[in-house]
Amino acid sequence: MFVAAGLIVWMNFYPMVRGFYFSLYRGVGAQMEFAGALNYLRMLEDTQFRQTIGTTFFYLLIQVPIMLITGLALASMLNSPGLKAKGFFRTAIFLPCAVGLVAYSLVFRQMFAVSGIINTIAMNLGIMETPFNWFGSTWSARMIIILGLLWRWTGFNMIFYLAGLQNIDRSIFEAARIDGANVFQQFRKITIPLLRPIILLTAIMSTNGTLQLFDESFNLTGGGPGLTSRTMSHHIYSTAFEALIPQIGYASAMSFVIFIMVAVLAFIQIKVGDRR
């Protein structure tokens, strides 16, 4: 028990405390000097960081609701007792979760390249006359990231909903059907209320994951064009490891701002979603 507690403190809490310590300093190694709240005040003037906050929340507001609604709808359809080949469809939808983050980012990058399959199909169908540079404009680069997130994580949330639906007694739906409730009414009056705790869980996990989004921004679009698709985590990584002069203290301060955002949004979601 004490060993487990020690490992938890060492692996989780110590890095957090150490990160907060670094956020109060400037410089690297022996040149570190105490800066107090200057790193946090610097964020108020950092236009790039404010831009990444807006970009990350754009992904959050667009991608998370679509992903949760789609996952819930797919779970409801795959829970139908009369559906054949359930195992195949469940596996096919969940399979993208098992694909490596870097691997799928590279595949999407090739698909949406100027000479990629998306432009080729669109030109053959007469939708476009010339190839479109999907990574050359802000809206299309962001949409590719959102599409990649939906492709990879919708099945993950679907599994949670499917597990919850399988624990609901089928007689409840049969009684509602006898009383004249249609499919939409059953979904709104039975499925959603009974799955509320699971919906709350997936909403919190999806929100936290989106606020810490890094791989898609780094591997798929590289943060471009002009850093307009860069996320907060990507900006922190660039500040800490890609700058000519590493700014570990400032990167640590930005990390704690993300931590506060995650905690506040999770608290709000729990208060709004948990009606006990």
Side-chain angles (χ1 to χ4, degrees):
M1 178 179 177
F2 292 104
V3 174
L7 287 174
I8 292 174
V9 171
W10 180 52
M11 298 294 292
N12 292 285
F13 293 101
Y14 174 74
M16 292 173 59
V17 174
R18 191 66 172 172
F20 180 72
Y21 169 81
F22 281 128
S23 73
L24 302 178
Y25 282 80
R26 286 182 173 180
V28 180
Q31 299 179 351
M32 290 182 63
E33 58 180 12
F34 183 75
L38 292 180
N39 284 325
Y40 293 92
L41 295 175
R42 177 182 170 184
M43 282 182 274
L44 300 175
E45 302 176 355
D46 189 345
T47 57
Q48 286 189 4
F49 182 61
R50 293 202 303 268
Q51 179 178 336
T52 59
I53 292 176
T55 301
T56 305
F57 273 88
F58 174 80
Y59 298 145
L60 175 66
L61 295 175
I62 299 297
Q63 177 260 146
V64 171
I66 296 176
M67 179 175 59
L68 297 183
I69 293 172
T70 305
L72 186 56
L74 289 172
S76 298
M77 290 187 291
L78 293 178
N79 193 51
S80 176
L83 181 66
K84 297 181 179 180
K86 292 181 182 179
F88 170 77
F89 290 114
R90 292 173 182 175
T91 303
I93 297 174
F94 179 75
L95 197 58
C97 300
V99 179
L101 290 168
V102 176
Y104 105 85
S105 297
L106 294 176
V107 170
F108 266 70
R109 191 172 183 85
Q110 292 297 321
M111 288 173 57
F112 287 94
V114 175
S115 59
I117 188 173
I118 301 298
N119 279 334
T120 302
I121 293 175
M123 292 173 63
N124 290 336
L125 293 176
I127 300 175
M128 297 187 308
E129 295 182 357
T130 57
F132 180 73
N133 184 7
W134 296 95
F135 298 101
S137 66
T138 298
W139 72 268
S140 57
R142 290 179 175 180
M143 287 302 109
I144 291 173
I145 289 181
I146 291 175
L147 182 62
L149 292 171
L150 293 174
W151 177 81
R152 192 173 196 277
W153 295 112
T154 298
F156 178 81
N157 291 285
M158 181 203 70
I159 292 299
F160 282 89
Y161 299 141
L162 191 58
L165 285 171
Q166 291 177 345
N167 288 323
I168 299 176
D169 193 345
R170 297 297 307 178
S171 62
I172 300 176
F173 295 97
E174 294 173 2
R177 192 180 305 110
I178 293 173
D179 289 338
N182 56 35
V183 175
F184 177 75
Q185 290 173 328
Q186 294 176 39
F187 182 78
R188 187 167 59 91
K189 296 293 186 178
I190 299 176
T191 302
I192 292 180
L194 292 179
L195 289 182
R196 187 181 300 276
I198 299 178
I199 294 174
L200 176 61
L201 172 66
T202 54
I204 293 175
M205 291 193 303
S206 300
T207 299
N208 294 352
T210 305
L211 289 179
Q212 301 174 65
L213 186 64
F214 172 78
D215 294 273
E216 286 76 11
S217 173
F218 184 80
N219 295 307
L220 188 53
T221 65
L227 307 183
T228 55
S229 66
R230 175 182 282 191
T231 60
M232 292 186 291
S233 295
H234 187 181
H235 183 62
I236 291 172
Y237 174 85
S238 179
T239 302
F241 302 109
E242 294 184 335
L244 294 177
I245 302 177
Q247 304 175 56
I248 303 298
Y250 184 49
S252 300
M254 288 189 287
S255 298
F256 262 85
V257 169
I258 296 181
F259 169 75
I260 294 172
M261 290 180 182
V262 169
V264 169
L265 287 177
F267 177 79
I268 293 174
Q269 287 173 322
I270 291 175
K271 286 299 182 181
V272 172
D274 191 353
R275 296 186 177 181
R276 289 177 296 177

